[in-house]
């Protein structure tokens, strides 16, 4: 079933982008914060090209967007009980949870032995993940440059290096997703972002 809220005028673009991702291509797509640069996690060759294209440091992992909680759990080796509270409260939404990765995931997303995952609240991003499976979620900008909430603000080098650009107009912008990890079963904020600290604190077990 199609993700609720997908704009009808973007359906054909999303389907074309999904085909490209499954074939190992790269796509620029909107998220609930900024535009993202994506590849299918099932295509390590494409995942590697994203890191090279952005000029990222080799050991700095990229996060992943999935369509639902079940897809997230398919990437994690273990999930502390405390994480369930944050999943229920903040998904879909701009919260990336970093947990131990299952073996076999691409180095670029699991170089630390963990993988960061979120269910996006943007219907386009979520529909792509539904059609393709887990997809890379890294901001569509060259490493060190600012994120873009309009396609025209994305560097020409990136726009010209991908196979499909889904232009959904202006994204919400603001802060990137909040990144939350766990140590000894307790939550640790790894990056402050769109979800305020007070909201996170209210969810602590």
């Amino acid at each position: 079933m199609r993700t609720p809220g997908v704009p009808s005028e973007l359906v054909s673009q999303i389907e074309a982008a999904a085909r490209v991702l499954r074939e190992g291509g790269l796509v620029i797509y909107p998220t609930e914060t900024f535009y993202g640069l994506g590849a299918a996690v099932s295509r390590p060759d494409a995942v590697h090209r994203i890191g090279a294209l952005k000029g990222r440091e080799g050991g700095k992992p990229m996060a992943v967007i999935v369509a639902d909680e079940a897809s997230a759990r398919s990437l994690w080796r273990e999930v502390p009980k405390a994480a369930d509270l944050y999943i229920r409260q903040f998904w879909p939404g701009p919260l990336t949870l970093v947990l131990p990765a299952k073996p076999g995931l691409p180095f670029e997303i699991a170089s630390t032995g963990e993988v960061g995952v979120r269910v996006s609240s943007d219907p386009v991003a979520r529909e792509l993940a539904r059609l393709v499976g887990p997809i890379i979620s890294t901001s569509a900008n060259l490493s060190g440059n600012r994120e873009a909430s309009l396609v025209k603000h994305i560097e020409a080098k990136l726009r010209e290096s991908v196979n499909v650009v889904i232009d959904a107009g202006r994204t919400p912008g603001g802060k990137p997703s909040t990144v939350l990890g766990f140590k000894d079963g307790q939550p640790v904020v790894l990056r402050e972002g769109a979800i305020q600290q007070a909201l996170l604190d209210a969810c602590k077990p």
Side-chain angles (χ1 to χ4, degrees):
M1 180 180 295
R2 185 180 299 161
T3 303
V6 173
S8 58
E9 66 273 17
L10 294 180
V11 169
S12 60
Q13 289 186 54
I14 294 169
E15 291 174 346
R19 287 193 294 272
V20 162
L21 290 170
R22 287 192 293 264
E23 293 168 0
L26 305 182
V27 169
I28 288 173
Y29 63 95
T31 76
E32 70 273 33
T33 53
F34 299 98
Y35 273 90
L37 176 61
V41 169
S42 61
R43 296 296 303 252
D45 53 333
V47 174
H48 178 73
R49 292 210 321 276
I50 282 188
L53 179 59
K54 287 194 56 163
R56 288 175 64 94
E57 299 174 8
K60 187 177 180 180
M62 294 182 285
V64 175
I65 279 177
V66 294
D68 50 37
E69 180 183 342
S71 297
R73 290 179 180 275
S74 73
L75 301 176
W76 290 328
R77 181 166 43 82
E78 58 184 77
V79 181
K81 289 185 177 180
D84 292 332
L85 299 174
Y86 295 90
I87 288 171
R88 289 196 297 269
Q89 183 69 27
F90 297 110
W91 279 8
L95 179 68
T96 299
L97 294 178
V98 179
L99 294 171
K102 284 189 176 177
L105 295 178
F107 175 81
E108 288 82 1
I109 69 172
S111 59
T112 64
E114 298 180 311
V115 58
V117 184
R118 81 179 188 272
V119 175
S120 177
S121 54
D122 184 275
V124 175
R126 197 171 175 188
E127 177 70 356
L128 271 179
R130 186 186 73 83
L131 294 171
V132 177
I135 58 176
I136 294 297
S137 173
T138 184
S139 55
N141 61 297
L142 299 177
S143 186
N145 291 354
R146 295 188 65 178
E147 301 93 343
S149 56
L150 287 169
V151 165
K152 67 180 181 180
H153 293 160
I154 300 170
E155 295 97 333
K157 177 184 177 180
L158 284 186
R159 296 199 310 268
E160 295 165 2
S161 298
V162 303
N163 303 94
V164 175
V165 177
I166 302 176
D167 190 343
R170 184 182 293 275
T171 65
K175 295 181 178 180
S177 70
T178 297
V179 180
L180 195 70
F182 292 83
K183 183 176 182 180
D184 298 326
Q186 295 302 306
V188 179
V189 176
L190 303 178
R191 182 181 73 186
E192 295 183 357
I195 298 175
Q196 296 178 356
Q197 183 68 50
L199 295 175
L200 295 172
D201 290 343
C203 200
K204 279 186 177 179

